[in-house]
Every structure is written in structure tokens, then in C-alpha cells.
Amino acid sequence: MKLAAVDIGSNAIRLQITNVTHFEGKTNFKKLEYLRFPLRLGLDVFHSQKISDKNRRKFVKLMKAFKLLIDLYEVDDYMVCATSAMRESVNGREICEEVREDIGLKINIIDGNHEAELINMALGGYIDEKSYLHIDVGGGSTELNIYNNQEKIATKSFKIGSVRALDDNIPISVWKSMNKFITDHVTKQDHITCIGTGGNISKILELSNPRKNIRLIGIEKIKEVQAFLESFSYEDRINKLNLNPDRADVIIPASKIYLAAMSAAASKKMMVPDVGLKDGMMQVLYRKNKNKRL
């Protein structure tokens, strides 16, 4: 069974195609294709509340390319989700309707809570009876989920994201609201561990030079990587650190969001599993289709 997931974010758009097999009682998910295209819809929306004509044309072309790949791989089912940039854009639904009519690709514009639910579906193997704060930082929003004894006890989405934070235009009231949400649900006695998802925390982990297969990073190491990144200019982060241009500018604002949430929870360490929204979509598609082909 082949499944496809498209994540239309505020900083980039991703396509993943996965082959699901069932052998000797075990289900395996093998990635067949992964593409990440740096189309920053959030830069339009967070400044002018709409997607520009130029980016609209590029977006439609990209959806056409993704649909061709989905068809070429003969995918059994697919799911396309758009997050904060598309849902806040005054012309977002109009663009999605254009894609549906002209290309035949259905796009679901999801709210922050649904986004958090999908990401959580991919985290099942990382949650045990301890206390956890899951922090997912995207380009336009940050989703927070608090777990205790394997149960989600609180969840909330905040308009704090790496692209949105580039111009330091996030109201202080929103930062305070995020901090209050955490302190209202977490006590220092919880000894909470954070779980970080998103491309920026994965890159921060990589830059920390972890031991092989260790996906855990301490708060002091995140601060160290942040200071290291801030010691380079934007151009040097691209040319000397080999960061993609659309990562080189947002990684520092993103690090500040992760650190703010960790500090509010008095957490000293963060797990960084290699999962995200697209993996949650795969879980939804698998559950929907598992009795059809396997």
C-alpha cells in the first residue's frame, strides 16, 4: 500500500510518499520519496493577510508537480493539510478551491488543535508514564501539548512561529499567554521532559554534534548552539554552516521559542524525534486503509 502526505506549512511545503508493508506480523513504513520546497507563504500572509499573486502561481505549479508524483507512484490514498499561513490568508480557501478544480488535489485547511492532534499521532512511541511538554514550532504557529501518565492533559496553539518572529512583531501578550499556559499546567516538581518537533530543532540537534543515534539535547546545549548561530551573519550561516537560505534566517527565532517554552516548564532536556505533521497524516491514512490492501 502506497500513501502520500503533503504538509503545506508557512515556511516550506513537503511531500512524502511511503510504502506500507505487512510481514510476519509487523507493519513497516518505508519512505519512497521526500521533497521539501522552500515556498514561504507565511511571509506574505503575516504582513499583508494574503498570498501574493507570484506565490499563488508558484504554489499552484508546485501542487501540480506533487499531484503528478502522487499519480506516478500510483498512490492508494493521500492527504494534504495546510496550516497557519493558508488558514489566516484571506485568499487561502480560494486558492485551495482553484487547486481542487484545476488539478484534482483536495487540500484540507486545518486549525491549530487539529495540527497538534496529527503530530501527536506520530509521537506514540515516545510517550510513557512520565510528564512531557511537546513543543512543535512551525513558521506561523507553535502547538503545545502536555502529557502525564500517557494522557494528554492540555493542548493549545499559539500565533508564535519562526517566520512570524522574524520581524519581532509577535505581541508580548501572546508570549505571556504561552508562558501562562505552561505554568498553569506544569509544576517544577513534575521534572518534565520536553519533546521538540519541527525542522529547526532537528537542525539544532544536528549542529550540537550528538553521539550517534542520540536524539536528546539539554537546554544549555541549545543555548550554546543558538549563540554559535548568532555569531555568524545570515550569509555565513548559508555559506560556512551550509544551511538552506530558508533555514538560515528562521533557526534563531525558532530556538528562542523552544527555549522560552522549556524555561517556562523548568525543563532541562528535550527529546527530538524525527517525526512531524506528515507522519501523523500517514498514521491517519494507514488506519483508514489498512483493511483494504494489507
Side-chain angles (χ1 to χ4, degrees), residues 218-277:
I219 190 170
E220 294 306 320
K221 179 60 73 170
I222 296 175
K223 291 177 181 177
E224 185 180 310
V225 173
Q226 181 191 67
F228 173 72
L229 289 164
E230 287 177 330
S231 70
F232 292 86
S233 67
Y234 170 70
E235 289 75 16
D236 283 348
R237 290 196 290 273
I238 295 171
N239 295 295
K240 293 183 179 180
L241 301 183
N242 202 30
L243 297 185
N244 290 331
D246 67 314
R247 177 76 65 211
D249 56 350
V250 297
I251 191 168
I252 292 173
S255 70
K256 294 176 181 178
I257 300 169
Y258 287 110
L259 286 171
M262 289 184 78
S263 297
S267 178
K268 300 299 182 186
K269 57 186 178 179
M270 177 182 284
M271 289 194 298
V272 187
D274 187 20
V275 299
L277 180 62

Side-chain angles (χ1 to χ4, degrees), residues 5 10 14 19-20 34 57 74 106 112 116 124-125 148 156 164 167 178 182 195 218 245 258 277 292:
S10 301
R14 302 165 180 84
N19 190 40
V20 186
Y34 175 74
R57 289 191 295 271
E74 298 179 333
K106 181 184 177 183
N148 191 25
K156 195 164 185 180
R164 204 188 291 269
D167 298 328
M178 185 177 79
I182 295 170
I195 300 175
Y258 287 110
L277 180 62
K292 296 180 182 178

Side-chain angles (χ1 to χ4, degrees), residues 159-171:
K159 289 185 178 181
I160 298 175
S162 58
V163 175
R164 204 188 291 269
L166 275 174
D167 298 328
D168 291 323
N169 61 354
I170 299 173

Side-chain angles (χ1 to χ4, degrees), residues 94-209:
E94 176 188 308
I95 294 171
C96 290
E97 183 61 22
E98 177 186 347
V99 169
R100 188 188 67 79
E101 289 183 356
D102 296 350
I103 301 169
L105 197 69
K106 181 184 177 183
I107 300 173
N108 304 292
I109 300 177
I110 60 174
D111 62 24
N113 289 332
H114 190 184
E115 184 178 352
E117 286 174 11
L118 287 170
I119 298 168
N120 291 344
M121 292 184 74
L123 290 177
Y126 299 90
I127 305 292
D128 57 22
E129 70 282 355
K130 298 174 186 175
S131 296
Y132 294 94
L133 169 63
H134 172 219
I135 311 162
D136 182 73
V137 178
S141 64
T142 292
E143 276 64 53
L144 298 181
N145 301 279
I146 299 172
Y147 292 88
N148 191 25
N149 199 26
Q150 295 187 313
E151 288 189 13
K152 184 164 65 174
I153 61 172
T155 182
K156 195 164 185 180
S157 178
F158 297 88
K159 289 185 178 181
I160 298 175
S162 58
V163 175
R164 204 188 291 269
L166 275 174
D167 298 328
D168 291 323
N169 61 354
I170 299 173
I172 188 67
S173 60
V174 181
W175 286 103
K176 287 181 177 179
S177 178
M178 185 177 79
N179 188 82
K180 185 176 186 302
F181 171 79
I182 295 170
T183 55
D184 281 350
H185 293 93
V186 176
T187 66
K188 292 184 178 180
Q189 287 73 33
D190 286 335
H191 302 293
I192 200 164
T193 296
C194 289
I195 300 175
T197 52
N200 287 299
I201 194 62
S202 293
K203 179 57 69 173
I204 289 168
L205 176 71
E206 180 185 324
L207 291 170
S208 73
N209 296 313

